[in-house]
Each structure stands twice: as C-alpha cells, then as structure tokens.
Amino acid sequence: MSTTASPKHAPHPSLGLHDDPRFVADVTGAEGLSSGVAVSYNPATGDPIAGVRLDSADSYERTLDEMTEAFRRWRAVPAPERGLVVRAIGEELRTHLDALGELVSLEVGKIRAEGVGEVQETIDIADYAVGLSRMVGGATIPSERPMHRMMEQWLPLGPIGVITAFNFPNAVWGWNAMLAAVCGDVVLWKPSLLAPLTAMATNAIADRVASDMGHEGVFRLVIGTDDEVGERMIADRRLPLISATGSCAMGRHVGQVVAGRLGRCLLELGGNNAVIVEPDADLDLALKSIVFGAVGTAGQRCTTTRRVIAHESIADELVDRMAKAYSTITIGDPLAEGTLVGPVIGQRTVDAYLDAIAQAKDQGGTVVAGGETVSPEGLGGWFVKPAIVRAPKGNELPIAMDETFAPICYVFTYSDLNEALAMQNSVDQGLSSAIFSGSVRTTERFLNVDGSGSDCGLAYVNLGTSGAEIGGAFGGEKDTGGGREAGSDSWKAYMRRQTCTINYGNELRLAQGIRFE
Ligand code: UN1
C-alpha cells in the first residue's frame, strides 16, 4: 500500500455556503455541540472545515408549522408540474456536480470519483422522478357489482422526515426527496452532524430552484442533535413517514417510536454483505468486485463487502490475489488523483476497526492484509489499512457477525453450496449478497424463486455487493429494516392509497350479495 498527500481544503465558493446564515466560517471557540455550532471536520486532516449553527426545539417547531402550510400548497400542484421542479433541480445539480462531489469527499473522505458518483446518483434519481411524475397512478379493479367502478388513487402523504447517515450525505436524501417531491410531499431533512455542509449545500440548491419556480418551503433542513431535534422528529405526528438510514440500533429505536404513534417508517439500516465464490467463478471478475466492494468508501457503505465465502478449492488463490491487490492500493488524500482509499470518518471508527481486528485475532482469525492504522504523509487524519482476515478452520469467527463500519473483510471457506448459502444467510442483517459462478444451475439456486437462496433485499450475480443503480428498489430484510428506496415502486411509500368505489347506477347493491330489505 502506498500513500498520497495535500488535500484541497475548502468548499467551492460556487456552492454559496458563505451566504447561508447558518454557516460559521470561524469555528474558534465552538467546542462541543453545547456551543450551538456543529463543527464539520475534514477526516483526511482532522482539521475543522467550518461550522453550522444548530437548530433548537423552537426553530424545529417553526419549521414544522411552515411545512404544514407549504404541504397544502405543494400537494395542489399537478404532479407533472412538480416533476418540472425536480427536473430543474437535476439540471442545477449537474452544474454543481464537481463542486458538490468534492465537498462530499472533503467532508466524509470518500475519494473524488465516489463523491462525484454520489451526486450523480442524486441526478439519476431526479431524472427517474421526473418520469414518475407522469406515472404515479393506480389501478382500476373490476367490481363484483354491475354499474360500479373500483379504482385506486395515490395521494400526497404529508410532510415527511428524512434522517440520513454520514456515509451518503447527498444521495440518500436524493432518493427520498426527489420521489417525495413528485409525490406531492414536502421534505424535512435531518442530516448527520458529521456531514452538515454537504446537506446545507445540497438542500440550498433544491430550495433555491423550487423557490425560484414559485414553490417555497418544499425542501427544508433541520440540523440538530438527536436529543433536541431527532427525538422530536420521530415522535411528531405531523410527519406521517420517517425515512431513516443508519445503524440497526438507531433504526430499532426509530421504528419503535414511530410505531408507537402508528406512523410509517422506511428503514435502511446495517448490512453484513457476503460474496460467495464458486469453483467455476471467473476469479479476475470476482477479485475486482470484491476489492471494490470491500475497500471502496473505506468500507463505510451499508453495502460494503464484509464477508467472502470462498470454495475450498479456490480460497487460497483468491486470498493470495486479494492480499496482492490490497498491497497496491493507494491510501491518502481522497481528492488526490490515484487515491483509492481515503480516511475513515473519525477516531471512533479507527477504534472500532482496531477493536474488531483484536477480537478477530483472539478468536483465531489470521490477518492476511492490513490490520493497523496508517499516517499518509502531510495528513493528520483518520486512516486505517484495509484488512483481510481469514477465519479459522470450522469458520468460527463471532466478530464477523457484527457490522464494523470500517474496511475489514472476513474470508470463510466451504465445500458445498448449501453450506455457503446457510453461512451467507446466518447474519442478522439482510441487505446485499452476491455470487460468482459460471453455472446457471448454481446462480439460480442463489436466486431460487422458492426463497431458499439469498435472504437479502439485493442479490447480485457476477457483480459485487455495492454500487446499486437507482432504477431498482434499494433496501434489505431482517435487521436491515425492510424499507425500500429509490426505484421500482418505492414511490408508494411516499403516498397514501385510496380505494375508490363509485356506483353509477340507480340501485344500492351491497357487496358479498348481502340483502338488507
Ligand atoms: C449506503 O451505503 O447507505 O449500492 C447506500 C450502493 C450505493 C448506495 C449505498 N448505491 O453501494
């Protein structure tokens, strides 16, 4: 592994962050959240980038009142016209693609290609939502009664709450906000306090475009602590849907509070994603996919490849080749050309990584690559070397059941596909899964229509676990929370369904043939 240095250090002026009244350029004295300012740090250097003034309970209440009004206006705008606003937001994001992508990299440490790729994902979902704005319709259903018509219509749901994690500080909002907007909802976004600047810049673009087109208040941002803002949001009956991304522990709490008020939740939580590699796999393809899936975004995607389940006949060769590939990876400044792995988000992640490595060793695992921190020259930030850990014989490695949000890939071996599938499905989470094989019999077992294959929301054949396109529904089962975002019919989560029955005859006919005379 080699390292690079010299990060660019400030958000691009074209993003207009300095004009935002919440922006705090000089963060001297802003120590801790009790100062009323959240400081955003560059994880590559450990230096502050800037601060953001926090919302209070009062400003939250004011925002919600205004949103209730904004919702009444927005829901009355025809859906295709709402689509035009989303189209203009997509266009504006295109003009800010590089600047915003670089801000993502600066603030959360993913490499430039991934930062820009993330904003592209928001542009993609905006395009998708524009199409949807002319398609969000319902079915007409045959009625059992003559001269009756039954149909479904889909109506705007209300102001919705979107809680996002640090690792996708732009796109996860995009998946939710672009769909919600064409569905006629207004969006309240609570971003992670680790990435408030990206949120501010992103929301400002959407809000400015919508306001210029005469639609103020569709996109709102509330930046605050979980205690002051998060808890209020999830308990707030004015928000009929809470869409939350984060850890399983966080999701369990959000789910319970929202269920307590009979609200709706869309949860996108942890993953513990595995790649199964069969003896007849194309190893070059498998290797490239595993390396991208395991070390991309420094192992901080919910879709990161955390486990490789390799057939015993190819496991040694695969691990050797993975270790060789890992040794050529450049770790360093995420904005520098050639870097493949940037920093992790902070010291807590470094600690979690080191702790997991120590536990893996205690449990008989062998560290084949990485396993320690690294200090790229000129950068004082939080860096770890992506690690490969081989499970001991018998595959007993309890630490691999946890999702440590860092670049650690555990490798297991198997002799029979059923064993591999059982291992793949043995974790609590059910987000993403993959198999590499040249045999359709094998891959169809992995995708078996009877449900005995992968138990995850995402299943890939000859592709890695991360990097979903927006056109499909994104999300997972079990402790991943069951929510679906982005493509397919995910839009339905943002609308309420109304079953309409119309009698256009002159007689009252009761269903089920009931006579009441
Ligand atoms: C996440 O890590 O929360 O499939 C989302 C992927 C990306 C989204 C990841 N399109 O890896």
Side-chain angles (χ1 to χ4, degrees), residues 7 9 42-48 343 378-383:
H9 208 82
N42 175 350
T45 60
D47 296 330
L379 300 170
W382 299 287
F383 291 87

Side-chain angles (χ1 to χ4, degrees), residues 15 89 92-93 96 100 200-210:
L15 294 171
I89 292 170
E92 190 64 8
L93 285 169
H96 293 287
L100 202 49
M200 231 162 71
T202 304
N203 201 73
I205 290 171
D207 180 42
R208 192 173 62 239
V209 169

Side-chain angles (χ1 to χ4, degrees), residues 146-166:
M147 317 287 280
H148 280 64
R149 186 155 66 88
M150 263 209 297
M151 62 175 196
E152 284 184 345
Q153 56 172 352
W154 291 87
L155 306 167
L157 186 63
I160 67 150
V162 178
I163 298 173
T164 58
F166 79 87

Side-chain angles (χ1 to χ4, degrees), residues 110-451:
K110 60 176 79 175
I111 61 169
R112 192 182 179 283
E114 291 191 72
V116 172
E118 169 166 0
V119 180
Q120 184 60 47
E121 197 164 337
T122 299
I123 294 169
D124 293 345
I125 194 74
D127 287 356
Y128 186 86
V130 177
L132 269 184
S133 71
R134 290 187 179 266
M135 291 162 67
V136 286
T140 299
I141 298 149
S143 169
E144 65 193 41
R145 292 170 277 189
M147 317 287 280
H148 280 64
R149 186 155 66 88
M150 263 209 297
M151 62 175 196
E152 284 184 345
Q153 56 172 352
W154 291 87
L155 306 167
L157 186 63
I160 67 150
V162 178
I163 298 173
T164 58
F166 79 87
N167 67 329
F168 272 78
N170 172 276
V172 172
W173 166 84
W175 295 345
N176 285 280
M178 298 298 95
L179 294 197
V182 297
C183 291
D185 303 334
V186 296
V187 182
L188 179 64
W189 181 11
K190 179 191 174 295
S192 159
L193 291 182
L194 297 170
L197 298 174
T198 302
M200 231 162 71
T202 304
N203 201 73
I205 290 171
D207 180 42
R208 192 173 62 239
V209 169
S211 299
D212 287 352
M213 292 174 83
H215 305 290
E216 269 170 38
V218 178
F219 302 99
R220 300 296 300 260
L221 183 67
V222 68
I223 298 175
T225 60
D226 290 346
D227 286 349
E228 186 90 0
V229 168
E231 292 297 330
R232 263 196 178 76
M233 238 176 121
I234 63 179
D236 197 328
R237 291 174 63 89
R238 292 168 294 183
L239 298 171
L241 171 70
I242 297 288
S243 172
T245 304
S247 68
C248 296
M250 177 279 261
R252 197 165 274 119
H253 173 65
V254 171
Q256 283 174 12
V257 174
V258 176
R261 61 175 172 90
L262 300 179
R264 264 194 227 170
C265 251
L266 197 172
L267 298 175
E268 202 257 283
L269 311 174
N272 192 346
N273 319 298
V275 173
I276 298 175
V277 187
E278 275 278 287
D280 65 350
D282 176 337
L283 276 196
D284 292 340
L285 200 61
L287 178 72
K288 283 187 192 145
S289 310
I290 291 168
V291 175
F292 174 69
V295 314
T297 329
Q300 299 168 110
R301 287 194 191 208
C302 55
T303 53
T304 290
T305 302
R306 308 216 172 270
R307 297 175 296 142
V308 168
I309 304 172
H311 191 268
E312 58 192 7
S313 62
I314 47 94
D316 289 347
E317 183 189 348
L318 182 65
V319 172
D320 274 1
R321 291 183 65 182
M322 280 173 67
K324 273 202 193 81
Y326 273 48
S327 71
T328 66
I329 286 169
T330 303
I331 304 171
D333 171 10
L335 286 163
E337 195 72 31
T339 304
L340 286 184
V341 174
V344 292
I345 193 67
Q347 187 57 44
R348 272 169 56 185
T349 302
V350 174
D351 294 344
Y353 165 92
L354 292 173
D355 183 55
I357 295 286
Q359 286 194 52
K361 285 182 183 159
D362 279 355
Q363 294 168 5
T366 310
V367 178
V368 182
E372 58 203 12
T373 56
V374 57
S375 307
E377 212 189 308
L379 300 170
W382 299 287
F383 291 87
V384 300
K385 287 188 183 168
I388 303 169
V389 179
R390 259 192 105 154
K393 277 212 165 21
N395 288 324
E396 255 325 292
L397 191 64
I399 183 67
M401 301 298 276
D402 294 344
E403 180 196 36
T404 302
F405 220 57
I408 305 174
C409 184
Y410 302 104
V411 183
F412 300 88
T413 44
Y414 72 94
S415 52
D416 167 75
L417 183 60
N418 286 333
E419 198 192 331
L421 283 171
M423 253 194 261
Q424 128 79 40
N425 292 343
S426 67
V427 293
D428 292 335
Q429 308 85 342
L431 180 57
S432 188
S433 58
I435 193 165
F436 283 82
S437 167
S439 148
V440 71
R441 292 209 172 86
T442 303
T443 58
E444 288 299 312
R445 269 170 77 193
F446 176 72
L447 302 176
N448 205 340
V449 289
D450 70 4

